[in-house]
Amino acid sequence: MVDKASIVLESGTVDKLMAGSIIVSGAVANGMEVNVFVTFWALMEMRKNAGENTKLGVEAKGMEKQLFSIMKEKKVPSWKDTLKQAMEVGDVHVYGCAMFADLMGIGKEDLDPMIEEVIGVSQFVDMAKDSKMTLFI
Amino acid sequence: MADEIKPDKVVDARGSFCPGPLMEMIKAYKQAKIGDVISVYSTDSGTKKDAAAWISKSGNQLIGVFDRNGYYEITMKKVK
């Protein structure tokens, strides 16, 4: 049986979302099946109308402008593009969190088509319980 | 030169960031036939190690990692 990785994306800051999508790619490169559960602030960024994400974690305070300009200059792909590429190459499934979607009145139709389905936590944990790697980002 | 093996497919991923070149290489690998030689150009230093490790781990043949003056060329042969 193929090794599985289960990743929860919770933070909606660019640094964490980028780290998450790059790790998904790394798991794909290692031949793993990856299930991603997107909740809270990461789910907010998965809305079709989320707009440009310029949020960074507190450690980046004061460096936001510099970091984004370096990323733009070096043509660093967005975290969404990195995640999309990982989905093209490997066996990656991205799910939205039903609890947070209900809380905020977000429907599947409001979310990026990368979100395969909106599911409950129990269904995700069932997928995650026999994983080789579990991460909460 | 001994390392001048003509690749069947060249993936120019120069300027692309981690994990871009590695993912591009895996994409090309999936589309290739057994026996095909694939070369990836990368300016990302992490790819040099990651791509070589992936080639060996996946049971394919690493022909070489060449320093091309400003970028790396990683060449592999698809054997499975």
Side-chain angles (χ1 to χ4, degrees):
Chain A
M1 221 178 80
V2 62
D3 288 340
K4 287 206 287 185
S6 302
I7 298 174
V8 178
L9 294 178
E10 191 264 356
S11 171
T13 63
V14 172
D15 49 346
K16 293 233 171 55
L17 290 167
M18 263 184 82
S21 61
I22 293 171
I23 295 169
V24 170
S25 309
V28 163
N30 278 277
M32 298 176 100
E33 176 195 326
V34 190
N35 290 307
V36 183
F37 190 60
V38 186
T39 187
F40 280 83
W41 317 114
L43 195 70
M44 292 299 266
E45 295 304 325
M46 274 289 192
R47 289 172 307 156
K48 281 176 186 158
N49 63 356
E52 197 190 349
N53 187 349
T54 54
K55 289 186 277 295
L56 284 171
V58 283
E59 286 156 88
K61 216 172 167 63
M63 271 193 67
E64 293 92 341
K65 239 181 136 179
Q66 190 190 355
L67 189 68
F68 282 116
S69 95
I70 293 171
M71 281 166 53
K72 202 173 169 189
E73 181 193 312
K74 298 199 171 175
K75 298 192 179 74
V76 174
S78 72
W79 66 273
K80 276 187 187 169
D81 286 343
T82 301
L83 190 56
K84 260 178 218 150
Q85 186 181 44
M87 293 175 83
E88 277 168 38
V89 174
D91 191 9
V92 180
H93 304 275
V94 183
Y95 302 100
C97 164
M99 177 280 289
F100 194 74
D102 285 351
L103 186 70
M104 302 304 286
I106 301 168
K108 191 186 176 299
E109 65 284 357
D110 302 317
L111 294 164
D112 189 289
M114 270 192 283
I115 302 273
E116 195 173 301
E117 211 185 321
V118 174
I119 65 170
V121 68
S122 169
Q123 198 180 335
F124 179 71
V125 171
D126 188 44
M127 293 172 186
K129 66 187 179 194
D130 58 351
S131 301
K132 276 270 168 71
M133 183 177 95
T134 51
L135 298 174
F136 182 94
I137 301 171
Chain B
M1 263 158 65
D3 57 65
E4 296 302 324
I5 294 168
K6 259 223 143 81
D8 299 287
K9 167 103 184 145
V10 173
V11 179
D12 190 349
R14 284 176 291 184
S16 174
F17 273 79
C18 165
L22 177 64
M23 301 306 272
E24 293 293 329
M25 186 185 80
I26 297 173
K27 238 191 252 180
Y29 161 80
K30 287 194 168 173
Q31 288 160 4
K33 299 186 294 288
I34 302 280
D36 279 359
V37 173
I38 304 162
S39 268
V40 183
Y41 299 167
S42 171
T43 43
D44 173 65
S45 63
T47 300
K48 192 170 67 156
K49 284 182 180 165
D50 273 2
W54 184 87
I55 293 162
S56 307
K57 217 185 138 193
S58 61
N60 289 284
Q61 187 191 339
L62 175 67
I63 294 175
V65 179
F66 310 106
D67 193 341
R68 297 294 189 209
N69 211 356
Y71 69 96
Y72 298 103
E73 179 175 352
I74 302 118
T75 306
M76 66 169 287
K77 187 175 187 175
K78 177 169 177 163
V79 296
K80 61 180 277 187

